[in-house]
Amino acid sequence: MVSSRPSPCRRLFAVLTVATASAGLLFAVPLSPARGAETLAPAAILSRAEERFRSLTDYHCLAEGNATNGKKTEGGTYQVWFRQPRLARIKVVKGRSRGCEITVDARGQVRARRGGLLKPFVVRLKPNDERLLSIRDISIVEITWDAFFRRWRQNAAQPGARVTVAPRPTPDAPHQVVVSWTQNGKQFREHYHVDPKLWVLLEAELWENGERVDHIQFREIELNTGVEEKFFRL
């Protein structure tokens, strides 16, 4: 659900592996569209989605994800607030570090605190501190949409990378951009689901050698809520 209505670490982890790709680095030809549903070129989808993101003042959403790495698995639910240009606040709602909160300020400095009795104690961390990493070594601070666009561009620039658009079964179905590349002998494929009306990111997936190893979905999305800068201070 998407609306425009206002809304009010022993080990932190982020359950996502998301990637970004530049419109100027997209090479593949889109697949044939399903009848009655328009299929745009990858460059058009990505540039429009990023333009939409840059036009927002702020957003809030609930992020639900799960990941695997070998025999290890983990999952979690997070509340995410973001205010341009790069303020972020994340609260672990469900998962191993439930109750933990972290913030990122305009200079990229990260602060975190645990829930419960330790809530008053705030610590400063580096973005790549192991307490912030998922089992796939992705920092929780990379859960915001701007990080998605950065990684999108990065993975599309991999040697031999291919970017395509999956067919849409209906006009209301999300646009789905697929980034594929080979690295260290492994085949990777990432899927990005973009809302066709509001042009926001709804879902992202990572596949490794044909197996989905990371997945995140965004719901209860609220745009331009008016959240104040002071909310992003711990």
Side-chain angles (χ1 to χ4, degrees):
M1 177 180 71
V2 181
S3 74
S4 297
R5 295 175 299 156
S7 68
C9 250
R10 189 172 106 144
R11 173 175 158 83
L12 281 169
F13 61 90
V15 184
L16 67 152
T17 303
V18 291
T20 56
S22 171
L25 295 171
L26 305 179
F27 312 107
V29 177
L31 302 176
S32 299
R35 184 175 181 180
E38 179 187 17
T39 299
L40 303 176
I45 296 171
L46 301 188
S47 61
R48 186 164 179 178
E50 184 164 13
E51 180 181 350
R52 171 58 169 158
F53 165 70
R54 301 299 174 194
S55 73
L56 298 175
T57 300
D58 64 80
Y59 75 86
H60 167 254
C61 69
L62 200 64
E64 295 182 330
N66 55 78
T68 63
N69 190 356
K71 294 183 179 180
K72 297 180 181 179
T73 62
E74 66 181 9
T77 302
Y78 314 89
Q79 281 197 14
V80 182
W81 294 265
F82 182 89
R83 177 184 168 93
Q84 299 285 9
R86 58 178 306 180
L87 299 178
R89 181 165 180 162
I90 302 156
K91 181 176 181 178
V92 183
V93 178
K94 182 179 180 182
R96 184 182 305 175
S97 300
R98 188 176 72 173
C100 289
E101 295 180 81
I102 76 167
T103 59
V104 182
D105 66 19
R107 295 176 293 176
Q109 294 183 334
V110 178
R111 292 176 173 82
R113 68 183 177 195
R114 299 181 185 181
L117 296 177
L118 296 177
K119 189 172 182 177
F121 299 96
V122 177
V123 296
R124 290 187 179 185
L125 300 172
K126 294 182 178 180
N128 61 349
D129 188 288
E130 64 178 8
R131 289 168 289 182
L132 301 177
L133 301 182
S134 74
I135 60 173
R136 300 196 64 85
D137 292 332
I138 302 298
S139 175
I140 195 171
V141 302
E142 296 292 295
I143 202 170
T144 57
W145 291 344
D146 62 330
F148 295 6
F149 291 110
R150 289 196 303 269
R151 293 180 62 87
W152 220 336
R153 288 188 288 270
Q154 175 184 329
N155 287 325
Q158 294 278 0
R162 185 169 180 263
V163 185
T164 59
V165 178
R168 298 170 62 212
T170 68
D172 293 329
H175 297 286
Q176 186 178 164
V177 178
V178 181
V179 184
S180 306
W181 74 97
T182 301
Q183 186 176 1
N184 298 326
K186 296 181 179 180
Q187 301 290 328
F188 291 95
R189 190 174 77 246
E190 294 179 333
H191 298 238
Y192 299 92
H193 304 252
V194 176
D195 186 280
K197 295 181 180 178
L198 293 178
W199 293 94
V200 296
L201 188 63
L202 299 176
E203 188 176 357
E205 308 170 67
L206 173 67
W207 294 71
E208 180 180 316
N209 291 335
E211 177 184 0
R212 192 169 77 174
V213 295
D214 217 330
H215 175 236
I216 189 163
Q217 186 172 24
F218 302 97
R219 59 185 183 86
E220 299 183 19
I221 300 169
E222 299 176 304
L223 307 176
N224 296 329
T225 69
V227 61
E228 298 182 2
E229 183 175 348
K230 64 182 180 181
F231 179 73
F232 297 90
R233 303 171 190 157
L234 284 183

